Amino acid sequence: MKAVALAKGEIAAALLVMSFACVRQAPPPPHGVMTVSVEQLSSFVRNFNPITPAVAPRWPTLCGVYEPLIVFNSVKGEYVPWLAESYEWLESGKVLRFHIRHGVRWSDGQPFSARDVAFTFGLLKKFSALDRSGVWGFVSRIEALDDFTVDFEFPRIFLPGLYEIAPQPIVPEHIWKDVADPVTFANENPIATGPFTEVRVFQNQVYELGKNPYYWQPGKPKVEALRFPAYPSNERANLALIFDEADWAANFVPAVDRVYAKRNPEHHKYWFPLTGSTVFLYANTARPPFDDIRVRKALSLAIDRELLVQVADYGYTRPADATGLSDAYTKWRNPAIAATGDWVAHDVKRAAALLDQAGFALGADGVRRDAKGRELRYEVLSVSGWSDWVRAAQVIARGLREVGVVATVRTYDFAAWFQRVQEGDFNLSIGWSMEGPTPYTFYRWQMSNATKKPLGTPTT
């Protein structure tokens, strides 16, 4: 599947459509409990499996419950040692060695070791569906030399392999060795190394994660627990944020200064550097006519990205250039090369000409048809409640209709949308992209056969 870049930034938007006077302030949580809004869902499924691609695990499974060897700070552009204290390349770049941090324990008190690392990657080899990054396509052997040293052997020099190995969440061998099917395992009571591992409450409308009693960073975390209420939409999540029902949120607040910051200048703060993943319009190239590059370029030319940024993102970000790279990769971007990608410009006439060349004639009713007389009529998928994505999809659909492609917006609950996109069950869909320390990771996930899966097979 290919993608058409839309706009840079780690952003999700919302519109406030309810009267503020109608909101009843919720009772405050217990002391030391931080209320967080991250996932806009009507209800939660108890799943804390950090390695399966089959479902979306509950936040923060991939970072606050389970942890990787190294964390990449995209704002500073640097690696931060985590479960590994350091790494080094040996044997002329064919062996990557990690030195595991001393003193780390799993949340049940058992010691963490290099053997857990080797076991985790062994699971990826045994159950290929878990190998989302295609690690075993470039690694030939993994060995724990002792409790604090683990080697990854490469059949050839492949330095970018570090980018896929370092962020892999590590699971405990003494628990997961008895799991019959780690792909479908819900892992309802996680044993992990992260700061929040204790499931204190789990209901379909709210769950709560308490801090790890054995966390390896002294004095952290600073709060006793994280609480996650179910907010079915950005609108409801933003109301909770504005009226201090939520302490921290990953919501996009429209007119953020006026609506949020000025309401309580001392305590209402926000920050969103444009270093997150780029948002894309994905075209399913396994289905015609999206296997034709002329069609994909025509769709791109039909999108008014300037309008999209203003309508969907309130001008907080800017249109993507042809590289698709966010500001995390500023030092890598060549402006002259980016300028050659003219398919990201808004050019209705050129889009129409490309569709003509591809054999899709424009009828008297303003609708294009293929050689058999079938209309070009498609749905653009988005997540219900993610109002920035929904509005972006609406701007896109409007642009496609302008060139004769009948496009309508179809929204799904996140879980249903995620499954459809994962399995390739769509024609056009809004979606995110993968991040990494260099553009290599970004482009590898967009274009490499190593991350490609057959239709119907769940993949990241």
Side-chain angles (χ1 to χ4, degrees):
M1 292 176 283
K2 303 295 183 184
V4 178
L6 297 180
K8 299 191 187 82
E10 192 170 22
I11 290 178
L15 289 176
L16 300 175
V17 296
M18 297 175 62
S19 168
F20 288 176
C22 296
V23 177
R24 178 179 64 83
Q25 188 161 355
H31 179 72
V33 176
M34 186 168 76
T35 302
V36 178
S37 169
V38 174
E39 302 175 284
Q40 277 70 69
L41 298 173
S42 57
S43 63
F44 296 119
V45 175
R46 185 166 178 164
N47 188 301
F48 296 98
N49 185 332
I51 59 177
T52 179
V55 294
R58 294 285 64 78
W59 198 92
T61 299
L62 300 180
C63 45
V65 180
Y66 291 88
E67 297 179 309
L69 295 172
I70 301 175
V71 171
F72 183 73
N73 184 323
S74 62
V75 175
K76 294 184 177 181
E78 63 186 24
Y79 272 124
V80 180
W82 216 254
L83 293 180
E85 292 181 319
S86 63
Y87 68 90
E88 58 182 324
W89 289 97
L90 304 173
E91 298 186 21
S92 301
K94 287 191 176 182
V95 172
L96 174 61
R97 175 170 293 176
F98 287 93
H99 298 281
I100 302 304
R101 185 177 300 276
H102 289 242
V104 177
R105 287 196 279 174
W106 295 101
S107 54
D108 61 358
Q110 295 293 314
F112 167 81
S113 78
R115 305 185 198 286
D116 294 302
V117 178
F119 171 80
T120 299
F121 283 92
L123 279 181
L124 308 190
K125 183 177 184 179
K126 184 177 180 181
F127 299 89
S128 59
L130 301 177
D131 191 8
R132 295 179 291 185
S133 300
V135 168
W136 284 100
F138 56 79
V139 168
S140 57
R141 186 176 65 90
I142 299 174
E143 181 182 2
L145 304 182
D146 54 43
D147 284 348
F148 302 104
T149 312
V150 60
D151 281 355
F152 292 76
E153 186 175 305
F154 296 67
R156 62 181 179 87
I157 296 174
F158 186 63
L159 300 185
L162 169 67
Y163 312 149
E164 305 298 343
I165 292 170
Q168 173 65 45
I170 307 301
V171 299
E173 179 180 13
H174 69 282
I175 300 295
W176 286 68
K177 65 181 176 60
D178 297 321
V179 175
D181 185 358
V183 178
T184 60
F185 179 45
N187 194 32
E188 294 186 355
N189 297 291
I191 301 298
T193 62
F196 296 98
T197 58
E198 310 305 290
V199 184
R200 307 202 317 185
V201 174
F202 203 99
Q203 302 168 0
N204 63 357
Q205 295 296 305
V206 64
Y207 68 97
E208 200 171 284
L209 297 179
K211 64 181 181 180
N212 181 352
Y214 298 103
Y215 193 48
W216 56 273
Q217 295 197 48
K220 296 181 180 180
K222 298 293 186 180
V223 297
E224 292 297 318
L226 303 178
R227 172 178 288 182
F228 303 90
Y231 299 121
S233 67
N234 275 358
E235 289 86 352
R236 181 63 189 90
N238 276 346
L239 289 171
L241 182 65
I242 290 166
F243 287 95
D244 299 319
E245 293 177 24
D247 302 303
W248 185 90
N251 310 331
F252 179 105
V253 183
V256 64
D257 284 307
R258 175 175 56 83
V259 172
Y260 178 67
K262 289 184 179 179
R263 182 176 174 81
N264 187 342
E266 184 179 358
H267 300 105
H268 286 189
K269 308 294 182 181
Y270 65 89
W271 183 61
F272 42 80
L274 304 184
T275 57
S277 60
T278 302
V279 179
F280 281 83
L281 172 65
Y282 283 88
N284 190 341
T285 58
R287 297 180 178 180
F290 308 113
D291 55 347
D292 188 327
I293 191 173
R294 295 170 297 183
V295 172
R296 296 197 302 273
K297 284 190 174 182
L299 299 184
S300 182
L301 290 162
I303 298 171
D304 187 341
R305 290 170 174 77
E306 294 287 351
L307 178 65
L308 186 152
V309 164
Q310 295 304 316
V311 171
D313 293 332
Y314 280 73
Y316 296 165
T317 183
R318 64 178 180 275
D321 60 29
T323 70
L325 297 173
S326 75
D327 284 3
Y329 308 108
T330 298
K331 67 180 181 181
W332 298 86
R333 184 185 292 106
N334 184 324
I337 297 299
T340 64
D342 59 353
W343 60 84
V344 297
H346 182 220
D347 191 332
V348 174
K349 289 184 178 180
R350 242 185 99 202
L354 283 170
L355 291 171
D356 288 339
Q357 290 174 22
F360 300 104
L362 186 66
D365 57 358
V367 177
R368 290 188 180 273
R369 293 172 173 82
D370 64 16
K372 295 183 179 180
R374 294 172 296 195
E375 294 182 345
L376 296 191
R377 183 181 294 270
Y378 306 104
E379 292 179 338
V380 181
L381 306 191
S382 183
V383 180
S384 58
W386 292 16
S387 53
D388 64 325
W389 280 26
V390 174
R391 288 185 139 227
Q394 290 169 341
V395 173
I396 291 168
R398 175 182 173 181
L400 299 189
R401 289 194 294 268
E402 193 174 0
V403 298
V405 178
V406 182
T408 56
V409 178
R410 178 74 180 273
T411 62
Y412 291 88
D413 179 76
F414 176 82
W417 169 85
F418 192 66
Q419 181 176 358
R420 289 196 62 165
V421 175
Q422 273 190 312
E423 297 178 358
D425 184 18
F426 69 97
N427 290 307
L428 298 169
S429 181
I430 306 295
W432 57 70
S433 55
M434 301 297 286
E435 306 169 57
T438 73
Y440 180 88
T441 303
F442 171 79
Y443 290 128
R444 181 175 186 266
W445 279 98
Q446 294 298 104
M447 297 184 288
S448 172
N449 284 338
T451 61
K452 181 181 176 181
K453 303 288 184 182
L455 285 178
T457 302
T459 182
T460 303

